[in-house]
């Protein structure tokens, strides 16, 4: 599933987080405690579980070492094909460029996507996040700010309606390296999102765009 793409066309160290409700004008339709629970990033797998049930997904998109990234995903997750034309990559200041899409073999409506955009350093992460959500037609249910492994992040829980998949939730996490903003979008059907929240949190917290293959 490429929900975010469709919209656009239209032992781990414990992270520190500061949760906040969505702005008043965003009018969240679920309790703050529920939103906070779905964006939880503690209780993640430790060394023994990681060895048995997870692996490091590593990729160097478009043969560009500056875009190298890695993240932890379950053993039964696979990479899904994606492409970007040279023109799309050259226009990375105008739209997100896909870098990686992964998900479980038997659940096409569950996905973790990684994208990036080239954004001026003076644009704050929270401003970028809200502009992106607004222009993509996504409902912001709640937000939080944190730091994952010394990497400052802004996050939002987003809701969207898809004709193909029905109501979906997406945990969107953005972080910056220089003039690149990396976006991790973890999506599932709203009714099943809680089932996948720990897997999503693991991928988000371990994401490493270090540019060091």
């Amino acid at each position: 599933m490429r929900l975010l793409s469709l919209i656009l066309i239209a032992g781990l160290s414990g992270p520190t987080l500061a949760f906040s409700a969505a702005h008043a004008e965003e009018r969240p339709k679920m309790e703050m405690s529920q939103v906070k629970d779905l964006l939880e990033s503690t209780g993640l797998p430790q060394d023994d579980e990681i060895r048995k049930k997870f692996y490091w997904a590593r990729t160097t998109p478009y043969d560009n070492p500056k875009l190298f990234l890695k993240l932890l995903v379950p053993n039964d997750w696979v990479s899904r094909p994606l492409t970007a034309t040279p023109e799309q990559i050259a226009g990375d200041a105008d739209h997100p460029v896909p870098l990686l899409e992964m998900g479980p073999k038997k659940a096409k409506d569950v996905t973790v996507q990684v994208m990036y955009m080239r954004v001026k350093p003076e644009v704050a992460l929270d401003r970028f996040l809200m502009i992106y959500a607004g222009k993509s037609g996504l409902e912001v249910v709640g937000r939080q700010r944190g730091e994952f492994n010394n990497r400052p992040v802004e996050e939002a829980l987003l809701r969207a309606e898809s004709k193909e998949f029905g109501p979906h939730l997406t945990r969107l996490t953005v972080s910056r390296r220089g003039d690149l903003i990396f976006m991790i979008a973890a999506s599932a059907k709203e009714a099943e999102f809680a089932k996948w929240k720990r897997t999503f949190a693991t991928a988000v917290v371990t994401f490493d765009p270090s540019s060091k293959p």
Side-chain angles (χ1 to χ4, degrees):
M1 184 201 70
R2 298 184 183 178
L3 180 62
L4 263 290
S5 297
L6 291 172
I7 292 171
L8 284 170
I9 294 173
L12 305 178
S13 60
T16 58
L17 297 171
F19 179 82
S20 65
H23 291 182
E25 66 269 24
E26 290 151 9
R27 303 190 184 282
K29 297 179 181 179
M30 64 173 68
E31 294 293 327
M32 182 189 295
S33 59
Q34 184 182 0
V35 176
K36 187 174 181 179
D37 178 67
L38 294 179
L39 291 177
E40 184 59 80
S41 297
T42 59
L44 302 184
Q46 299 301 302
D47 291 346
D48 187 56
E49 184 180 0
I50 289 172
R51 284 192 297 270
K52 294 177 181 178
K53 298 182 179 180
F54 291 81
Y55 74 98
W56 282 102
R58 295 178 170 87
T59 183
T60 305
Y62 315 116
D63 296 320
N64 184 349
K66 293 182 179 180
L67 296 178
F68 172 81
L69 62 93
K70 64 180 181 179
L71 70 169
L72 272 177
V73 294
N75 288 337
D76 64 343
W77 278 40
V78 296
S79 177
R80 296 171 180 168
L82 54 80
T83 58
T85 66
E87 291 76 18
Q88 288 174 315
I89 297 173
D92 59 7
D94 300 319
H95 50 252
V97 176
L99 298 175
L100 177 70
E101 180 177 335
M102 301 198 72
K105 295 179 181 178
K106 298 181 180 180
K108 299 298 184 182
D109 57 345
V110 177
T111 185
V112 169
Q113 298 171 279
V114 182
M115 303 165 281
Y116 85 94
M117 278 190 71
R118 194 172 302 277
V119 181
K120 294 179 179 179
E122 58 266 28
V123 178
L125 282 175
D126 58 345
R127 176 171 170 75
F128 171 84
L129 178 64
M130 295 306 296
I131 291 175
Y132 172 81
K135 289 189 174 182
S136 299
L138 300 166
E139 176 191 353
V140 180
V141 181
R143 291 168 53 191
Q144 67 183 13
R145 174 176 296 165
E147 185 174 295
F148 298 153
N149 299 314
N150 299 316
R151 179 171 53 91
V153 302
E154 292 281 345
E155 294 194 287
L157 184 66
L158 307 173
R159 181 186 280 121
E161 189 77 26
S162 165
K163 290 183 179 180
E164 183 177 0
F165 300 108
H168 265 70
L169 292 177
T170 294
R171 178 177 184 164
L172 181 62
T173 307
V174 298
S175 61
R176 179 185 283 281
R177 194 191 72 221
D179 63 347
L180 302 184
I181 288 183
F182 291 91
M183 311 161 64
I184 314 171
S187 304
K189 290 179 180 179
E190 184 166 354
E192 300 177 4
F193 191 90
K195 171 185 174 182
W196 296 100
K197 68 175 184 177
R198 187 169 183 258
T199 298
F200 291 161
T202 300
V204 165
V205 172
T206 61
F207 173 68
D208 181 8
S210 63
S211 75
K212 296 180 180 179

